[in-house]
Each structure stands twice: as structure tokens, then as C-alpha cells.
Amino acid sequence: MTDFLQRAKELEQEMIARRRDFHKHPELGFQEIRTSGIVAKELNRLGLEVRTGVGKTGVVGLLEGDKPGPTILLRFDMDALPIVEANQTDYISENSGVMHACGHDGHTTIGLAVAKMLMPLRKEIAGTIKFVFQPAEEGLGGALAMVKDDVMNSPKVDRSLALHLWNDKPFGWVSATNGPCMAAADKFTITLQGKGGHGAAPYLAHDPIIASAQIITALQTVVSRNINALDSAVLSMTSVKGGEAFNVIPDSVVMLGTVRTFTPDVRDRVMKRFEEIVIGLAKVMECEAKIEYHTTTAAVLNDAAMSAEVRELAKAMPDVTTISDSERTMGSEDMAYMMQTVPGCYFFIGSANAEKGLNFPHHHPRFDFDERALAQGAALMAQAAARYVLK
């Protein structure tokens, strides 16, 4: 670990400069033209075999060792979010209304640094390291698009690793959880069709506004009354739209929301009760309900042995002060699709620094992180990958 950490610290200023450049030029999912171009150019310069256009705007770089062996996939996401940045730095976003508010600029930077650190070891590598720079992680299906473009084959992947800079925790904290660590995410749309009318004569209407209120309230009992308290689930209504005038009862109301779960059994139970409540209450309120329910991503399930290895490697890092084996979040991550068929570990690197004001949460207009986490993340990822292919 010492050699990798030393090498990462030697690259630290280069990494900071590159991360700030990515931060100034954020790109939304499937629009990462500039970012993927820089990634492809750097991987080519390092001497990797490079494929572009994987999953639309994704990039894959192969580092093939001189000896035969397994293939390990390292995933780094590239996309930004549709957020107006509120930070006051010299690297603030220059793309109006788009911001790296989740640390993906750091992830891309870490991926390129890891490639630079491992490339000189090609003669010692027994196997292949597949560097995957993924587009559109933020709910647009970038991982699934890459899977459909055969990213898990040619050569066939045997193991996978990914990381996330984590502003919920301070720099020096590392977590690699056994089993589920990020939730499956579903999204739903409910359209309530009623009968509009005059606001002064509601008895002549079938009011979808009142029906939506009843449904929203009842749905809050799904988790509290239908799911075992020792399990985890979230059901959130996030948008309700209906009507335009103060004196008109509208014909319809449209509601949006999300469900988060860790296991298929809990998900199935939530979905069953969700449908029963929506359809049943709509009928009681003399409305009709149409439900559209879509899976965004599965849960991220870590291989216990790989997670234990990452934690063991983190112990050797002098800047690591806390190691966790239990970090879970109801946030989702489509890396799950690259981990469904092979053992994998998705680990977290603490990146907050409250003293410097770098502790705003992910997806916040003032999100930023302690850039010391770049070298730490790169060193741990490089060491974790090397464990499987260096003989």
C-alpha cells in the first residue's frame, strides 16, 4: 500500500488540477463529449487499448498484463447534474445550470490516476484490468447501456470494483459493507382521472385533488405498517400537479415518486400494497387511477470477501482514521448492473471537511469536497485492483 499511496501523492497536484477542470466543464448524462474525449485521449497516451462510444458516451480502456489471469473491472462515473452551482471558487461551473454536485469529477480523475499508476506494472500483471468510464449514472441508465454494449465481456469480467467520494463522512473515513450497501430504486407515476367542475359546486365533480390527498396519506402507512421494522424501505411522493385556477376543480392530477428497497421480497410487498391502496382509494373517491411503475436500478450487493479485503487494505493507509463495515444508504447506484453477474465491492471514501466548509451534501448547489480524498481513493482502488492481478 505504501508504494501506491506514495505514487498517488506524487500525482496529487495533477489530480487536483484535472478534477477542477472537469468541475468547470460539467456535462449531463449521455452528453459527456468533452469529458469522454479527455478520458480516451489520456488512456491512449498511457498505451491502453481504448474503446469509445460504449453505452453511447462511455469509454473503456484495457490494460492487458503480460501474463494470463482474471479480468477485473474498475468503474468510474463521469456525468454531472442539472443544478445551478452556488459555490464561489475559481473552478465554479462554466456550463450554466449544470454542476458536478456528486463527486463524479473526482471519480473520473481517480480513474485516470489509477490507470497511470498501474500501467507501469504491465509486465507483472497476470490478467486484465478493464477501466470503465461510465456515462449517465444519475438515473438515466448509463450502466445498463454499457452492459448492453457488452462491457462485461471481451474479455469476460471476473470481478468488479467501484468507489464513491462520500460527503456524509469526513476525510479519513472508509467503508466497505458486506452485502447490500445501496438501495434498488423504482420510480412511479400516478394519474388520477376524475371529473372537473366549479370550485363552488364540488358535489357535481369527482375531485382528483381530494383523492390525491387521501392516497398520499395512506401510502405513508405502507412502510410503517406493512414492512418489518428490521427491514428497510422508503416510499416518497415527490411531485403533485393538478389544476390551474383557484375556482376550478381539475379533471386530473399527476403524482410522481420513488420507492427504495434492499431486497426483492420487500420490494414486492411494497409494490403490492402500493397498487392496492392507489386503485382502491381512487375508486372510493370516484376517480380512476393509472399507475406507471419502472425500475431505475437494482440494489448494490457487495461480495463479503472482497469488502473484507478492501477494509484490510485501508487499515494500512496512515490517513485512514475510521473503517466501517456497515454503511448503507437508500440512495441508488446503477453500478448494481455491473455487479449482478460477478463478485464486486462498492466502497466509500470520506470526503467532507467541516472546518473548510466542505461538508454540504451530495446534490446540493454548494457541494464540494476535500481534495485529499482524491489521492486516498486512487491509492486504495489501485491496491485493491492489484491484489487480484499482481503475482
Side-chain angles (χ1 to χ4, degrees), residues 86-325:
N87 287 315
Q88 298 297 320
T89 64
D90 58 5
Y91 51 90
I92 190 171
S93 170
E94 295 179 0
N95 187 356
S96 180
V98 182
M99 176 191 175
H100 271 298
C102 200
H104 297 188
D105 48 347
H107 302 168
T108 305
T109 298
I110 287 171
L112 292 175
V114 173
K116 193 168 187 177
M117 293 161 65
L118 292 175
M119 188 62 190
L121 304 176
R122 170 175 269 171
K123 291 184 178 180
E124 302 171 46
I125 290 175
T128 301
I129 303 173
K130 184 177 287 192
F131 292 88
V132 174
F133 291 84
Q134 181 200 313
E137 185 277 327
E138 296 289 357
L140 296 177
L144 197 55
M146 296 193 86
V147 170
K148 289 178 178 178
D149 275 356
D150 215 29
V151 75
M152 301 304 292
N153 296 298
S154 302
K156 185 180 182 301
V157 174
D158 298 296
R159 295 177 183 269
S160 61
L161 287 167
L163 58 72
H164 205 302
L165 300 177
W166 204 233
N167 253 31
D168 289 4
K169 301 293 183 179
F171 172 76
W173 174 94
V174 172
S175 178
T177 302
N178 298 341
C181 67
M182 299 192 82
D186 299 319
K187 60 182 179 180
F188 60 80
T189 302
I190 303 169
T191 303
L192 292 175
Q193 186 63 49
K195 178 184 176 183
H198 200 295
Y203 65 95
L204 297 176
H206 299 162
D207 191 343
I209 296 283
I210 298 299
S212 71
Q214 297 287 336
I215 289 170
I216 291 169
T217 300
L219 285 177
Q220 300 314 301
T221 68
V222 172
V223 174
S224 66
R225 291 298 177 267
N226 300 124
I227 302 302
N228 189 318
L230 300 179
D231 292 325
S232 300
V234 169
L235 194 163
S236 293
M237 194 71 67
T238 57
S239 175
V240 183
K241 296 180 180 179
E244 299 290 342
F246 82 97
N247 59 349
V248 178
I249 294 172
D251 281 321
S252 64
V253 168
V254 177
M255 301 182 285
L256 308 178
T258 185
V259 171
R260 306 296 173 104
T261 55
F262 284 121
T263 66
D265 287 347
V266 172
R267 179 179 180 272
D268 290 346
R269 178 62 173 157
V270 170
M271 289 176 65
K272 182 176 185 294
R273 290 298 294 138
F274 174 89
E275 183 173 344
E276 290 171 346
I277 288 170
V278 173
I279 299 298
L281 275 177
K283 185 176 181 180
V284 168
M285 302 302 294
E286 299 183 292
C287 294
E288 292 184 3
K290 177 184 176 183
I291 300 171
E292 297 178 35
Y293 202 101
H294 302 287
T295 296
T296 300
T297 186
V300 175
L301 304 176
N302 278 347
D303 178 78
M306 291 186 68
S307 292
E309 289 167 350
V310 169
R311 293 194 300 271
E312 188 65 29
L313 293 170
K315 289 180 182 178
M317 300 183 72
D319 290 336
V320 173
T321 56
T322 304
I323 298 174
S324 170
D325 63 358

Side-chain angles (χ1 to χ4, degrees), residues 22 27-33 35-37 39-40 43 51-61 73-81 100 103-112 130-149 151-152 160-164 182 296-297 300 332-339 346:
F22 285 141
E27 296 170 302
L28 297 175
F30 294 128
Q31 299 177 32
E32 306 94 339
I33 306 302
T35 305
S36 62
V39 168
L43 295 180
R51 288 176 59 204
T52 59
V54 184
K56 297 184 180 179
T57 47
V59 181
V60 176
L73 180 152
L74 313 183
R75 199 289 315 251
F76 309 94
D77 40 10
M78 303 186 292
D79 57 322
L81 288 154
H100 271 298
H104 297 188
D105 48 347
H107 302 168
T108 305
T109 298
I110 287 171
L112 292 175
K130 184 177 287 192
F131 292 88
V132 174
F133 291 84
Q134 181 200 313
E137 185 277 327
E138 296 289 357
L140 296 177
L144 197 55
M146 296 193 86
V147 170
K148 289 178 178 178
D149 275 356
V151 75
M152 301 304 292
S160 61
L161 287 167
L163 58 72
H164 205 302
M182 299 192 82
T296 300
T297 186
V300 175
S332 64
E333 165 59 83
D334 66 357
M335 175 64 189
Y337 289 119
M338 297 184 190
M339 297 171 64
Y346 189 104

Side-chain angles (χ1 to χ4, degrees), residues 335-349:
M335 175 64 189
Y337 289 119
M338 297 184 190
M339 297 171 64
Q340 282 185 322
T341 57
V342 298
C345 178
Y346 189 104
F347 59 94
F348 298 96
I349 301 289

